[in-house]
Amino acid sequence: MEVDWSKALPRSGGEPEVLVDLPTYAFQRQRYWLEAPSGGRLSGVVDPVDAEFWETVEREDVEGLADTLGIADASALAEVVPALSSWRRERQQRNVVEGWRYRVVWRQAEAVSGAGGVLSGRWLLVVPASGECGQWVERVRAWVEAAGAEVVVVSLAADEVEQA
C-alpha cells in the first residue's frame, strides 16, 4: 500500500517539487563546541601584579624591571631579563602544545575486601619475566579477580621494558 503524501503535504498549484539534502551528520556545518577564551589563557583569574611583572620581562625592559624590584643597578639584570623572557615564551608554547595531547591518568584503585564485583573488564598485569615479585604478582592478581575483573598477565624482560 502506498502512502498519499499530497494530503499531508499539499502543494499549491504549479509549484515544482523541491528536494532538500539533509546533512548526514548531526553537527555538520555548525559548531556546537565551546570556544577557547581569547588570549590563549584558560584560567579566568589573572593576578595583576604577576601580569605586570611578566609583561615587563617579555618586553625585556631591564630598567623597568629594576624599578619594579627596587634594584639601583639595572646592569645586574641585563643577562637575566632576556633569559627569563625566552624561558617564559618557551613555557607558554609548551603549555599550548600540552593542551593538544591526549592524557592517560593513572588512579589508585580503592581497596576492595573480598568479591563484590567492584571492578569490571579486562585488566593488564605486566610482570618481570625473571619471576621476581612472584608473591606480589599473585596477590595482585587474586585481588583484582576477587573484585570481579579478568586479569591478563604479560611478562616482559628488562630489555623489553627499556625499549617500550
Side-chain angles (χ1 to χ4, degrees):
M1 176 175 182
E2 278 192 45
V3 177
D4 182 12
W5 289 105
S6 64
K7 295 184 192 244
L9 304 169
R11 295 188 321 186
S12 58
E15 278 186 36
E17 186 174 334
V18 177
L19 297 177
V20 177
D21 287 332
L22 296 175
T24 57
Y25 177 64
F27 303 116
Q28 192 170 0
R29 296 186 190 95
Q30 190 164 358
R31 186 173 171 85
Y32 288 93
W33 316 119
L34 296 174
E35 295 294 331
S38 61
R41 294 191 180 263
L42 296 179
S43 64
V45 180
V46 177
D47 182 3
V49 174
D50 285 349
E52 181 183 349
F53 172 81
W54 286 111
E55 183 181 324
T56 307
V57 169
E58 288 175 5
R59 283 193 323 261
E60 296 187 21
D61 181 4
V62 177
E63 295 291 331
L65 190 59
D67 288 343
T68 301
L69 298 175
I71 298 174
D73 184 13
S75 65
L77 297 175
E79 288 185 45
V80 175
V81 172
L84 272 175
S85 177
S86 175
W87 175 83
R88 173 124 165 123
R89 277 193 302 274
E90 179 190 327
R91 294 294 298 213
Q92 287 175 326
Q93 289 170 352
R94 189 181 310 162
N95 285 342
V96 168
V97 172
E98 287 293 323
W100 298 337
R101 293 187 179 152
Y102 179 78
R103 288 180 179 83
V104 175
V105 178
W106 295 89
R107 292 188 183 99
Q108 183 175 355
E110 296 295 323
V112 178
S113 56
V118 175
L119 302 177
S120 64
R122 185 176 296 159
W123 285 52
L124 180 65
L125 181 57
V126 181
V127 300
S130 65
E132 295 176 41
C133 308
Q135 66 184 12
W136 292 105
V137 170
E138 287 309 312
R139 288 176 73 183
V140 169
R141 180 183 191 153
W143 177 82
V144 173
E145 286 177 342
E150 176 186 351
V151 177
V152 176
V153 178
V154 175
S155 297
L156 290 179
D159 61 335
E160 293 174 318
V161 173
E162 291 172 5
Q163 292 174 357

